[in-house]
Amino acid sequence: MGEMSGFQLGVIGALFLSVASSVSIVICNKALMSNLRFPFATTLTSWHLMVTFCTLHVANRFNLFESKSIDMKTVMLFGILNGVSIGLLNLSLGFNSIGFYQMTKLAIIPFTVLLETLFLKKQFSQNIKFSLFVLLVGVAIASITDLQLNFVGTVLSILAIITTCVGQILTNTIQKKLNVSSTQLLYQSAPFQAAVLFVSGPLVDQFLTNKNVFAYKYSPIVLAFIILSCVISVSVNFSTFMVIGKTSPVTYQVLGHLKTCLVLAFGYTLLHDPFRMRNIIGILVAIFGMGLYSYFCTQEHKKKQSVDVSLGSQLKDKGNTPLLAMQDRESHEAKKSTKESVV
């Protein structure tokens, strides 16, 4: 019971850290890109990953966590895949409208469910599927404004969905199959993710913005926000791996849509962004869907625990039966031999 309560506290802490850090970095990056006119999102992400790796390297040197070696081929392919998925998501945003980009992000959940069902044989109940449907409808109502399709943008969105889903499923699978923590996996894979984006980031950003990141004039306030964004990103990357490892890729995506609703609400209340009744209704529907998802997951977890306990008691009874039978047999044979000796 103590281990279970500790695990639940760890999950709650990871979820809270993920929400708080993600909302914070969105606000910071919005100020950096919208107000300070620094549009180089992919390059900034590569800096995030480099700072994350350096921070974890220092923490490892001070023995704050134990590094665990992972097969180099596995971690390299995993890191490259995650780096490519980030680049494709940014390209998708550049080639598509905001509405279609939101549709791309919404499609990650059903595609993840499909992949886990087909390849990992994972079962999702009808209640879970219904709660996810309600969630996606709510987020769609709240965030989608227009749907402008084009061939290149659609292809990029499909590739972004596939690489993101596979990367998040692998994040969960590698941690469980290789028995590594989220910190250990992030420490091993961050250099490869950073390398992919460090090379491709300036090219992607220049293609999307027609501006050169190296020719940009960095004022002190821009540098301050870049440093702040990099510092927050350490918590974002760490909590992302932790949430996926402790829960599932689908739960992480549900959490991501909660962040979207929080960012929309924050923008309306504090930044006075344009907001309509449709946005409010969508956020409320999405929160209702998240509540349903949380409730059904909790109920199924309790049901699984009770089944495991009953199976454990049955196995225990089966394990005791041969011993009792043997004792009865020995007692019977002893009585029989005593009777024969008396005769």
Side-chain angles (χ1 to χ4, degrees):
M1 289 296 293
E3 291 181 358
M4 183 57 64
S5 62
F7 176 78
Q8 290 174 345
L9 287 175
V11 172
I12 293 171
L15 295 173
F16 177 79
L17 179 62
S18 179
V19 172
S21 58
S22 296
V23 173
S24 299
I25 203 169
V26 166
I27 295 168
C28 178
N29 289 347
K30 185 173 183 179
L32 182 62
M33 295 178 185
S34 300
N35 299 337
L36 300 176
R37 306 298 180 186
F38 183 85
F40 309 107
T42 310
T43 303
L44 181 63
T45 305
S46 71
W47 297 345
H48 288 168
L49 289 164
M50 290 173 62
V51 171
T52 299
F53 171 73
C54 292
T55 303
L56 291 177
H57 185 70
V58 172
N60 183 44
R61 288 292 183 182
F62 281 95
N63 296 319
L64 296 179
F65 75 96
E66 182 182 354
S67 176
K68 186 174 182 179
S69 60
I70 307 174
D71 176 59
M72 183 58 67
K73 183 179 180 180
T74 299
V75 75
M76 183 183 297
L77 291 175
F78 172 74
I80 292 173
L81 176 67
N82 278 316
V84 170
S85 71
I86 294 171
L88 286 171
L89 281 171
N90 287 338
L91 280 173
S92 173
L93 178 59
F95 275 90
N96 294 306
S97 64
I98 297 296
F100 192 79
Y101 176 72
Q102 289 296 333
M103 283 293 295
T104 299
K105 293 178 68 177
L106 290 177
I108 292 175
I109 284 184
F111 196 75
T112 301
V113 170
L114 177 64
L115 289 180
E116 290 192 318
T117 302
L118 291 178
F119 296 102
L120 300 182
K121 307 303 179 184
K122 187 173 181 179
Q123 299 296 321
F124 294 88
S125 68
Q126 293 299 323
N127 288 335
I128 294 292
K129 292 178 181 178
F130 174 72
S131 64
L132 291 174
F133 174 76
V134 174
L135 164 67
L136 295 177
V137 169
V139 176
I141 294 172
S143 60
I144 294 177
T145 54
D146 61 325
L147 289 175
Q148 298 177 4
L149 302 179
N150 64 83
F151 178 75
V152 175
T154 303
V155 171
L156 288 172
S157 293
I158 293 172
L159 293 175
I161 292 168
I162 294 172
T163 53
T164 301
C165 292
V166 173
Q168 291 179 359
I169 291 172
L170 287 177
T171 300
N172 180 272
T173 305
I174 290 174
Q175 289 185 54
K176 292 181 177 178
K177 289 292 180 68
L178 301 183
N179 194 27
V180 295
S181 67
S182 55
T183 310
Q184 292 167 336
L185 180 58
L186 180 59
Y187 179 57
Q188 295 289 336
S189 63
F192 299 104
Q193 296 182 59
V196 170
L197 295 176
F198 190 75
V199 172
S200 62
L203 298 175
V204 171
D205 288 334
Q206 185 164 11
F207 181 76
L208 294 176
T209 65
N210 292 322
K211 296 179 181 178
N212 190 339
V213 65
F214 301 109
Y216 182 84
K217 294 182 180 180
Y218 293 86
S219 64
I221 189 170
V222 169
L223 290 174
F225 269 90
I226 289 174
I227 293 172
L228 178 61
S229 179
C230 289
V231 170
I232 300 173
S233 73
V234 177
S235 294
V236 174
N237 292 324
F238 175 72
S239 61
T240 296
F241 276 62
M242 186 183 293
V243 168
I244 296 176
K246 288 183 176 293
T247 57
S248 69
V250 174
T251 299
Y252 174 73
Q253 286 299 323
V254 170
L255 192 68
H257 292 306
L258 171 61
K259 300 169 193 174
T260 301
C261 293
L262 290 175
V263 170
L264 288 173
F266 176 85
Y268 173 68
T269 55
L270 297 182
L271 302 180
H272 304 293
D273 288 344
F275 218 68
R276 299 177 182 175
M277 183 57 65
R278 180 175 62 85
N279 303 117
I280 298 175
I281 294 173
I283 289 175
L284 293 176
V285 172
I287 292 174
F288 177 69
M290 292 172 203
L292 286 177
Y293 178 78
S294 178
Y295 173 77
F296 291 138
C297 283
T298 302
Q299 292 300 312
E300 290 188 8
H301 181 69
K302 289 180 179 179
K303 185 178 179 181
K304 183 180 178 183
Q305 278 186 320
S306 62
V307 170
D308 291 341
V309 170
S310 62
L311 286 176
S313 62
Q314 289 176 7
L315 290 174
K316 186 177 179 181
D317 291 340
K318 287 182 181 179
N320 288 334
T321 300
L323 180 60
L324 293 172
M326 184 175 66
Q327 289 176 344
D328 291 338
R329 193 183 309 117
E330 289 176 351
S331 176
H332 177 71
E333 289 176 357
K335 290 179 180 178
K336 183 179 179 182
S337 62
T338 302
K339 183 178 180 180
E340 288 176 352
S341 63
V342 170
V343 174

